[in-house]
């Protein structure tokens, strides 16, 4: 027998207790939507998992009204430490139900259980824990004393990290005192529905988080709704641009986290084996469905052949298949539409003259699959060096000097992330200064931490998520200094009105 | 720094092939210092990633047997006696008396003065140079510290080979290595390898122990691995088992990467032996996964892979019994040695 053909080790889906049909989550309850229902399928088998309600503009209206009510009556009046308690509770429930969430995410998204179990779900909990701690410390968010929440946040998230993106959006919004209406991606609503159950378990006040499912039109109804104060979107640059146009001229605050075409720069003195792992992790993690994926490999010319040779050898050990098998490295492509896009762009790469190499993986009969692929002899003018493929496809370019590496790395309309591989610390620091990318990883790639701000330059969007910066995106400065006001009040003759100034002022601004 | 070998190093065949005919300490140093560095965080992350492989059912059964087949059953105590060694040999031949399908181990590993007793106890089961049967491995060269003159180390080695040892587990001079005297370490390995040659021209296999717990940094481990291979090691081995930490998965992964690179460069296959601290089947399976996914599963034979362990075999036997019967027994259902 061949040991490397590890016997099947599937995580059991029996831990899930799924309903056949999911409605919308509005005002603390699951309700039927007024639109059609649509099926969510497993991209690995094309089998239907559940049917999901499609929210109409009317449903969105109800959800926003619920969020506004919850904001006015409950959430904006609650102390920061009490909001924090709810967030801590959510974080703990995510941990308690982590296996279930990981299985559901793998089933619905197609990503391997190894990633949902070891990356997605632990980070979801970490995000809630982190922002729970911020809830009663907003005066340290960098906006001066007594920063104010914005109100109702409309949030639209993508399908590549369904639950993690939900956490990135909801955790800072709630910590800052906003209420939320969120729309998951059409193909990956399942874990948002399980998350709604967690919110019920956590006894979160009704209306603080509302989840509306549906296609792009639902999202459009949400972001264009008159009564939202903040729009946060993660997804494609095209949709982001559309949203920016729709929001322009309103009072809504906007953050966009869009596409990327990150350069992963490997110098000849790089720690070679770790760099190979980093390249693999950079582009083949989550089937390359990562906005910050290291999809452009820039290799110093004198080590190009060695790097490619080692990379091919390493890719030959990757295991593609059942996302629920604990030994699977590469899962399924999320949808037929995405698979088509990856195929089209790869074919373009070939016709433009780049050299294609694909790992020898057995493609399952059903589902959407794309084997890890490398393009060498790519030049900066090729479409595969410029357009975001959002799949397991790596374009390899070369450079000769650090200056050329920087020029090539920055020569993209995007600017979300970049990677540097070298054992020379001074070079690392010099390069970081010159790379126009929101995140630069040195001798690692695709590492995330709730304390670290994440976001892009140029067409990769604006605003930051994570850390103090991510919190500030859901706050505005009040200009009202409580300690100064208190000391002013105490120097005046004692009066009843001076005893609770903070609460009164807050109520007034919160309408 | 004093250059202790101005006139060049022993002409070890591999080093000459790679570094040129007039082998000097400078050439060796330039080569070892020119190796790309190791990023500790990345290495440990990769090892942790390999540890998440889930080995079940038929794969697990094969892995458990492979662990036994590639184990150097070891006793290296000051208190060792001929009786203890005979008992160890009996266990090596028949690890689990309750299940005759259990394979024998690869070798017994003892101090040099215990080699005659091990050879005698093995009798017809002694491999005597072939691949069938059980090998006798002897630790030599002033094990475990290596603090003795070269003459003593060579005498120690010759003694063990003459007594019938099939394999010599030598230690490198870590003091010399850490003070930058790569040439001293190199020449000693070459000399010990020559001492492994038997009168008939065949030679006892040489395992070179780096004692990675004393080398401390991964960069050092990488350099020492290359050094040992260039000087003629048949196997490179992590530890004596007398220093903590002994074998770890990241260190083993790193050494396997060097072995893989040597194979890419020359087509030659070097063996690997992690030793010390591997006690649980679950951990040992992770090592097998690391071997298979780094150098390839053709390394998973006793010619190219060994576990240096004393208590590991019993845990594997308990797992084997569990797979056969469906329930766990206990420590009294396997023999103590």
């Amino acid at each position: 027998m061949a040991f490397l053909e590890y016997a099947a080790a599937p995580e059991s889906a029996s831990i899930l207790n799924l309903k056949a049909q999911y409605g919308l989550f509005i005002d603390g309850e699951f309700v039927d939507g007024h639109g059609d229902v649509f099926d969510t399928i497993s991209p690995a088998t094309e089998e239907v998992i559940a049917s999901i309600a499609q929210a109409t503009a009317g449903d969105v209206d109800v959800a926003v009204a619920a969020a506004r009510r919850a904001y006015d009556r409950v959430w904006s009046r609650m102390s920061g430490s009490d909001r924090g308690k709810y967030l801590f509770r959510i974080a703990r429930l995510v941990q308690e139900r982590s296996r279930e969430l990981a299985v559901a995410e793998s089933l619905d998204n197609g990503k391997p259980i190894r990633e949902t179990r070891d990356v997605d779900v632990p980070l979801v909990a970490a995000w809630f824990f982190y922002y729970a701690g911020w809830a009663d410390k907003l005066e340290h968010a960098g906006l001066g004393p007594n920063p104010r929440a914005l109100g109702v946040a409309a949030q639209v998230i993508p399908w590549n990290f369904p639950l993690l993106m939900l956490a990135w959006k909801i955790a800072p919004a709630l910590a800052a005192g906003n209420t939320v209406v969120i729309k998951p991606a059409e193909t990956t609503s399942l874990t948002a529905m399980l998350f709604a159950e967690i919110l019920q378990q956590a006894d979160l006040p009704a209306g603080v988080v509302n989840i509306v499912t549906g296609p792009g039109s639902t999202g459009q109804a949400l972001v264009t709704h008159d009564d939202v104060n903040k729009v946060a979107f993660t997804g494609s640059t095209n949709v982001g641009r559309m949203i920016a146009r729709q929001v322009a001229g309103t009072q809504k605050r906007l953050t966009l986290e869009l596409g990327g075409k990150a350069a992963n720069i490997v110098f000849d003195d790089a720690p070679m084996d770790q760099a190979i792992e980093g390249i693999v992790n950079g582009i083949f993690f989550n089937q390359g469905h990562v906005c910050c994926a290291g999809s452009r490999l820039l290799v110093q010319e004198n080590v190009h052949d060695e790097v490619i040779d080692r990379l091919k050898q390493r890719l030959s050990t990757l295991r593609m298949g059942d996302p629920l098998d604990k030994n699977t490295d590469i899962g399924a492509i999320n949808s037929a539409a995405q698979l088509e896009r990856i195929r089209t762009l790869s074919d373009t790469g070939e016709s433009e003259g780049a050299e294609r190499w694909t790992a020898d993986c057995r493609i399952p009969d059903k589902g959407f699959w794309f084997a890890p692929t490398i393009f060498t002899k790519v030049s900066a003018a090729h479409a595969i060096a410029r357009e975001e493929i959002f799949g397991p496809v790596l374009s390899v370019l070369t450079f000769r000097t650090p200056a050329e590496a920087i020029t090539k790395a920055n020569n993209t309309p995007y600017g979300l992330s970049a990677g540097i591989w070298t054992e020379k610390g001074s070079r690392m620091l010099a390069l970081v200064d010159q790379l126009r990318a929101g995140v630069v990883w040195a001798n690692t790639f695709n590492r995330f931490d709730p304390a670290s701000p994440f976001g892009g330059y140029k067409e990769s969007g604006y605003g930051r998520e994570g850390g103090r910066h991510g919190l500030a995106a859901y706050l505005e400065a009040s200009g009202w200094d409580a300690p100064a006001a208190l000391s002013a009040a105490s120097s005046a003759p004692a009066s009843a009105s001076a005893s609770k100034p903070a609460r009164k002022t807050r109520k007034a601004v919160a309408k | 720094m004093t250059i202790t070998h101005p006139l060049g190093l022993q002409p070890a065949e591999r080093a000459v092939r790679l570094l040129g005919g007039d082998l000097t300490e400078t050439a060796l140093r330039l080569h070892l210092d020119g190796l790309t560095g190791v990023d500790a965080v990345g290495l440990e992350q990769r090892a942790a990633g390999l540890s998440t492989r889930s080995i079940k059912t038929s794969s697990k059964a094969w892995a458990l047997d492979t662990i036994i087949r590639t184990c150097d059953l070891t006793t290296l105590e000051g208190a060792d006696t001929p009786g203890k060694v005979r008992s160890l040999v009996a266990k090596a031949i028949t690890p689990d008396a309750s299940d005759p399908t259990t394979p024998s181990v690869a070798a017994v590993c003892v101090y040099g003065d215990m080699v005659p007793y091990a050879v005698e106890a093995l009798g017809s089961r002694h491999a005597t140079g072939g691949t069938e049967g059980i090998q006798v491995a002897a630790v030599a060269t002033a094990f475990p510290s290596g603090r003795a003159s070269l003459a003593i180390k060579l005498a120690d080695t010759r003694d063990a080979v003459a007594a019938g040892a099939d394999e010599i587990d030598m230690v490198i001079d870590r003091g010399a290595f850490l003070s930058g005297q790569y040439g001293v370490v190199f020449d000693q390995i070459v000399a010990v390898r020559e001492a492994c040659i038997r009168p008939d021209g065949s030679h006892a296999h040489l395992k070179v122990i780096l004692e990675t717990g004393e080398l401390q940094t991964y960069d050092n481990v990488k350099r020492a691995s290359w050094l040992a291979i260039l000087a003629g090691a048949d196997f490179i081995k992590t530890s004596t088992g007398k220093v903590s930490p002994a074998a770890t998965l990241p260190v083993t992964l790193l050494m396997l990467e060097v072995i893989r690179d040597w194979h890419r460069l020359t087509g030659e296959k070097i063996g690997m032996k992690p030793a010390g601290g591997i006690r649980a089947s679950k951990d040992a399976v992770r090592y097998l996964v690391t071997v298979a996914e780094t150098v390839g599963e053709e390394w998973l034979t006793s010619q190219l892979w060994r576990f240096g362990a004393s208590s590991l075999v019993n845990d594997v036997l308990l797992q084997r019994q569990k797979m056969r019967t469906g329930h766990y027994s206990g420590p009294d259902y396997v023999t103590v040695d």
Side-chain angles (χ1 to χ4, degrees):
Chain A
M1 62 164 280
F3 177 60
L4 274 170
E5 310 254 310
Y6 301 137
E11 184 70 75
S12 169
S14 64
I15 190 174
L16 293 176
N17 185 18
L18 297 177
K19 298 177 204 163
Q21 187 169 347
Y22 283 94
L24 314 170
F25 183 72
I26 296 175
D27 216 7
E29 302 290 339
F30 285 100
V31 296
D32 293 333
H34 292 88
D36 299 335
V37 294
F38 61 98
D39 289 334
T40 189
I41 63 166
S42 159
T45 58
E46 299 176 57
E47 280 165 19
V48 174
I49 304 169
S51 67
I52 307 278
Q54 186 174 317
T56 61
D59 294 325
V60 170
D61 219 20
V62 176
V64 173
R68 175 63 61 195
R69 225 168 21 247
Y71 180 75
D72 288 345
R73 296 186 189 165
V74 185
W75 205 244
S76 67
R77 300 177 179 211
M78 193 181 280
S79 69
S81 57
D82 281 347
R83 286 199 310 272
K85 281 182 199 165
Y86 282 108
L87 291 171
F88 276 123
R89 203 183 281 171
I90 292 167
R92 286 195 298 269
L93 285 164
V94 166
Q95 287 183 319
E96 272 174 32
R97 295 179 65 171
S98 59
R99 189 152 153 246
E100 188 186 345
L101 292 169
V103 170
E105 194 80 307
S106 284
L107 197 63
D108 195 30
N109 172 281
K111 63 169 75 190
I113 186 84
R114 195 168 67 88
E115 290 177 11
T116 53
R117 179 196 64 197
D118 296 344
V119 182
D120 294 53
V121 177
L123 278 175
V124 169
W127 239 267
F128 279 101
F129 275 119
Y130 176 80
Y131 280 110
W134 264 114
D136 59 355
K137 303 173 190 69
L138 299 182
E139 66 272 27
H140 302 291
L143 296 166
N146 293 302
R148 292 194 298 248
L150 301 174
V152 175
Q155 304 176 325
V156 178
I157 55 172
W159 48 262
N160 59 341
F161 294 92
L163 194 60
L164 182 58
M165 289 302 106
L166 175 144
W168 279 31
K169 295 277 180 286
I170 292 182
L174 297 196
N178 304 271
T179 57
V180 163
V181 182
I182 191 167
K183 189 197 89 76
E186 190 179 1
T187 58
T188 55
S189 306
L190 191 65
T191 43
M193 294 294 113
L194 297 187
F195 184 77
E197 291 176 10
I198 286 177
L199 296 179
Q200 287 183 325
Q201 256 181 298
D203 221 4
L204 187 76
V208 172
V209 171
N210 305 275
I211 303 174
V212 289
T213 45
S217 57
T218 306
Q220 194 177 354
L222 177 58
V223 300
T224 55
H225 196 284
D226 284 340
D227 200 28
V228 304
N229 306 95
K230 156 89 187 179
V231 173
F233 171 75
T234 296
S236 73
T237 296
N238 279 341
V239 176
R241 225 182 244 126
M242 201 170 78
I243 291 175
R245 273 198 292 270
Q246 287 164 344
V247 168
T250 69
Q251 305 243 341
K252 293 172 195 170
R253 296 263 295 265
L254 177 64
T255 44
L256 298 171
E257 201 264 88
L258 309 174
K261 190 75 187 174
N264 202 1
I265 308 168
V266 178
F267 285 92
D268 60 0
D269 67 344
M272 197 50 77
D273 283 298
Q274 290 75 50
I276 298 295
E277 287 309 312
I279 296 166
V280 172
N281 183 38
I283 183 64
F284 301 113
F285 173 64
N286 199 26
Q287 297 76 245
H289 301 332
V290 186
C291 46
C292 52
S295 51
R296 278 188 304 150
L297 179 64
L298 291 180
V299 192
Q300 195 161 350
E301 207 170 293
N302 57 341
V303 288
H304 172 270
D305 293 355
E306 189 194 347
V307 167
I308 298 305
D309 208 35
R310 285 168 180 266
L311 192 56
K312 286 177 180 171
Q313 198 172 26
R314 175 69 179 88
L315 292 183
S316 307
T317 68
L318 289 179
R319 321 166 77 83
M320 195 169 88
D322 181 7
L324 287 180
D325 191 302
K326 286 177 253 181
N327 292 325
T328 293
D329 298 315
I330 307 275
I333 302 299
N334 182 252
S335 64
Q338 185 58 26
L339 179 59
E340 192 47 43
R341 179 179 160 77
I342 298 169
R343 281 185 178 151
T344 307
L345 271 163
S346 299
D347 292 346
T348 309
E350 245 174 323
S351 63
E352 281 180 333
E355 206 164 274
R356 179 183 189 150
W357 180 90
T358 297
D360 184 23
C361 290
R362 203 185 62 80
I363 308 273
D365 303 330
K366 282 198 160 172
F368 317 127
W369 306 91
F370 197 90
T373 295
I374 307 176
F375 279 103
T376 49
K377 301 198 167 72
V378 178
S379 76
H382 290 165
I384 51 169
R386 305 202 63 77
E387 285 183 43
E388 184 177 39
I389 299 173
F390 223 63
V393 181
L394 180 67
S395 304
V396 185
L397 296 90
T398 58
F399 67 91
R400 293 158 298 179
T401 61
E404 188 181 2
I406 291 161
T407 308
K408 283 190 168 166
N410 286 338
N411 182 220
T412 166
Y414 297 109
L416 193 52
S417 67
I420 305 169
W421 295 86
T422 174
E423 276 282 280
K424 190 166 171 173
S426 58
R427 175 186 288 154
M428 226 179 243
L429 295 172
L431 248 65
V432 170
D433 270 353
Q434 297 172 70
L435 287 170
R436 280 180 291 158
V439 180
V440 182
W441 285 291
N443 286 359
T444 188
F445 211 93
N446 273 344
R447 301 287 280 172
F448 305 97
D449 188 283
S452 171
F454 181 94
Y457 279 50
K458 301 187 279 185
E459 285 192 22
S460 290
Y462 38 82
R464 293 291 179 266
E465 294 186 289
R468 186 167 62 77
H469 305 71
L471 193 69
Y474 288 92
L475 287 170
E476 61 187 348
S478 72
W480 190 78
D481 187 339
L486 277 173
S487 63
S490 62
S491 65
S495 75
S497 67
S499 62
K500 272 185 165 183
R503 172 56 55 84
K504 290 210 162 188
T505 314
R506 277 224 157 185
K507 258 191 211 168
V509 298
K511 61 173 109 160
Chain B
M1 158 159 331
T2 17
I3 303 296
T4 44
H5 289 258
L7 298 175
L9 303 170
Q10 294 287 328
E13 189 204 328
R14 285 179 189 151
V16 168
R17 259 191 285 141
L18 192 72
L19 306 176
D22 48 345
L23 195 60
T24 59
E25 170 124 16
T26 310
L28 182 64
R29 169 179 310 285
L30 283 175
H31 179 74
L32 296 180
D33 288 347
L35 298 168
T36 55
V38 181
D39 186 80
V41 175
L43 178 70
E44 285 165 12
Q45 204 177 315
R46 171 71 178 142
L50 287 164
S51 298
T52 66
R53 291 290 191 218
S54 183
I55 305 303
K56 302 289 184 202
T57 58
S58 56
S59 295
K60 184 175 177 184
W62 186 86
L64 293 176
D65 280 4
T66 302
I67 296 166
I68 300 173
R69 266 197 298 267
T70 59
C71 193
D72 285 3
L73 198 59
T74 303
T75 183
L76 294 169
E77 303 297 332
D80 284 347
T81 58
K84 163 79 181 172
V85 170
R86 277 193 282 271
S87 169
L88 186 83
V89 167
K91 172 94 175 175
I93 295 170
T94 313
D96 187 350
S98 73
D99 181 0
T101 68
T102 312
S104 301
V105 302
V108 290
C109 182
V110 294
Y111 270 111
D113 62 334
M114 289 292 146
V115 169
Y117 305 106
V119 169
E120 186 202 344
L122 277 169
S124 64
R125 297 299 305 275
H126 186 201
T128 56
T131 52
E132 294 298 307
I134 297 170
Q135 318 264 342
V136 176
V139 296
T141 70
F143 181 95
S145 70
R147 294 258 66 87
S149 70
L150 180 59
I152 298 290
K153 292 180 184 180
L154 295 179
D156 195 10
T157 307
R158 287 194 196 101
D159 216 30
V161 174
D166 310 285
E167 300 171 350
I168 295 295
D169 289 25
M170 74 166 286
V171 292
I172 64 166
D173 184 339
R174 283 88 75 187
F177 181 90
L178 290 172
S179 63
Q181 296 173 282
Y182 297 152
V184 170
V185 182
F186 181 88
D187 276 351
Q188 288 194 358
I189 297 172
V190 175
V192 172
R193 186 178 163 81
E194 263 163 39
C196 287
I197 298 174
R198 303 188 188 96
D200 66 359
S202 66
H203 77 278
H205 276 237
L206 180 64
K207 304 194 197 109
V208 178
I209 303 172
L210 309 182
E211 195 65 296
T212 54
E214 288 185 349
L215 299 184
Q216 300 264 336
T217 72
Y218 292 127
D219 287 331
N220 278 345
V221 172
K222 185 171 181 177
R223 278 192 282 265
S225 301
W226 273 94
L227 177 64
I229 292 173
L230 285 172
D234 295 307
F235 265 72
I236 50 177
K237 175 175 169 184
T238 59
S239 328
T240 60
K242 305 292 184 192
V243 168
S244 184
T248 66
L249 196 58
V251 154
T252 305
L253 168 62
L254 174 58
M255 292 168 71
L256 285 166
E257 285 171 349
V258 173
I259 288 171
R260 181 203 56 203
D261 289 350
W262 182 259
H263 181 246
R264 284 166 55 94
L265 198 65
T266 67
E268 201 177 1
K269 291 178 177 173
I270 307 294
M272 172 69 203
K273 177 177 173 183
I278 307 167
R279 294 188 185 87
S281 309
K282 200 171 183 174
D283 290 333
V285 171
R286 289 172 176 161
Y287 280 81
L288 296 189
V289 166
T290 303
V291 174
E293 297 205 22
T294 308
V295 282
E297 61 180 294
E298 66 262 35
W299 252 262
L300 289 177
T301 70
S302 61
Q303 278 83 56
L304 291 169
W305 173 258
R306 297 288 176 84
F307 284 105
S310 44
S311 57
L312 171 63
V313 167
N314 272 354
D315 191 62
V316 174
L317 294 178
L318 288 174
Q319 290 291 330
R320 261 187 121 254
Q321 290 176 359
K322 194 263 169 184
M323 289 198 85
R324 197 174 76 232
T325 63
H327 58 262
Y328 284 102
S329 52
D332 288 342
Y333 292 81
V334 288
T335 54
V336 286
D337 58 25

